Amino acid sequence: MDVLKKRILEEGRVVGEEILKVDSFLNHQIDVQLFQEIGQEFYKKFAHKNITKILTIEASGIAIASIAALYFKVPVVFAKKTKSRNLDNDTYKSKAYSFTKEMYYDIQVSKRYIQEGERILILDDFLANGKAVLALMDIVNQAGATVEGVGIVIEKGFQDGGKLLRGKKVNLESLVIVDRFKDGIIKFMN
Ligand code: 5GP
């Protein structure tokens, strides 16, 4: 997706050897027009899958999933990372290791919002080691639903998530795949 690559090259900042910051359009300030193009692109890739629901994880995934959902015309459910008295007691739970925060966190989805037999599309902003996606897949499996696809805005091709998910025959589509950052320079693999 050339427009996305252009923005990453113009505005992305590399932190250390493994983190890409794209706060100016994806993770803090949101470029809604760009998100529309991202949503359309996910729709092109997964429209034939008869998706019944999009599942993502708070916080950055919510905006991406919501705009994509306008094309799929399905609801969005986001997994919650924090415990809240607002959340139903009856939840599917899983655990993931946060690559950016370097700690484990629990994620939860109310059992009301994923039904057995549903065809789920998982969307997220970044794919690093695949822990967030695996935790979301675990929740879909617990619900007796199926993961019809996983859509990622930016995959970091030098981390293990892509290989892990493709090895499990997950239908993974990453809009851009970035290569190792050499001296802070960003290169793409796709
Ligand atoms: P994973 O679970 O695949 O190891 O990491 C994916 C999650 O970590 C994403 O939901 C994303 O929020 C965060 N993440 C991983 N790598 C990066 C990165 O380079 N930049 C940003 N902004 N977030 C990242």
Side-chain angles (χ1 to χ4, degrees), residues 6-73:
K6 187 164 178 282
R7 295 296 291 275
I8 293 171
L9 289 175
E10 285 172 358
E11 298 169 43
R13 284 180 294 137
V14 173
V15 181
E17 302 211 320
E18 294 187 321
I19 304 253
L20 176 63
K21 273 179 83 81
V22 282
D23 284 0
S24 61
F25 60 90
L26 189 67
N27 293 117
H28 196 5
Q29 177 169 256
I30 291 173
D31 183 333
V32 179
Q33 272 74 42
L34 176 66
F35 274 36
Q36 244 182 322
E37 293 187 51
I38 288 172
Q40 274 172 329
E41 199 65 27
F42 282 136
Y43 185 66
K44 271 194 229 162
K45 294 187 185 300
F46 296 109
H48 62 290
K49 289 284 181 184
N50 297 322
I51 301 299
T52 62
K53 200 162 279 179
I54 297 176
L55 176 65
T56 189
I57 186 164
E58 62 180 353
S60 297
I62 298 174
I64 297 162
S66 300
I67 295 182
L70 290 171
Y71 299 97
F72 287 90
K73 298 189 169 53

Side-chain angles (χ1 to χ4, degrees), residues 58 78 80-91 108-113:
E58 62 180 353
F78 62 94
K80 300 207 178 202
K81 290 180 181 167
T82 45
K83 291 199 176 71
S84 158
R85 281 201 292 172
N86 276 337
L87 190 61
D88 295 335
N89 287 329
D90 210 8
T91 60
Q108 297 190 60
V109 173
S110 167
K111 289 189 179 175
R112 286 171 193 251
Y113 301 123

Side-chain angles (χ1 to χ4, degrees), residues 18-22 27 57 97 99-100 124-133 156 159:
E18 294 187 321
I19 304 253
L20 176 63
K21 273 179 83 81
V22 282
N27 293 117
I57 186 164
Y97 183 79
F99 167 73
T100 45
D124 203 7
D125 57 346
F126 272 89
L127 180 67
N129 293 313
K131 305 297 183 196
V133 169
K156 291 184 290 178
Q159 290 180 288

Side-chain angles (χ1 to χ4, degrees), residues 88-107:
D88 295 335
N89 287 329
D90 210 8
T91 60
Y92 298 114
K93 298 180 187 61
S94 195
K95 214 178 238 321
Y97 183 79
S98 166
F99 167 73
T100 45
K101 297 194 179 71
E102 297 182 315
M103 55 179 250
Y104 281 93
Y105 60 95
D106 294 313
I107 65 167

Side-chain angles (χ1 to χ4, degrees), residues 131-176:
K131 305 297 183 196
V133 169
L134 285 175
L136 292 170
M137 286 175 61
D138 179 27
I139 280 179
V140 174
N141 289 336
Q142 289 177 46
T146 56
V147 177
E148 291 298 326
V150 174
I152 298 289
V153 179
I154 303 174
E155 174 181 339
K156 291 184 290 178
F158 55 87
Q159 290 180 288
D160 288 341
K163 212 187 323 164
L164 188 86
L165 296 178
R166 291 184 183 98
K168 287 178 181 288
K169 302 276 181 270
V170 171
N171 179 13
L172 170 66
E173 293 278 0
S174 300
L175 301 187
V176 303

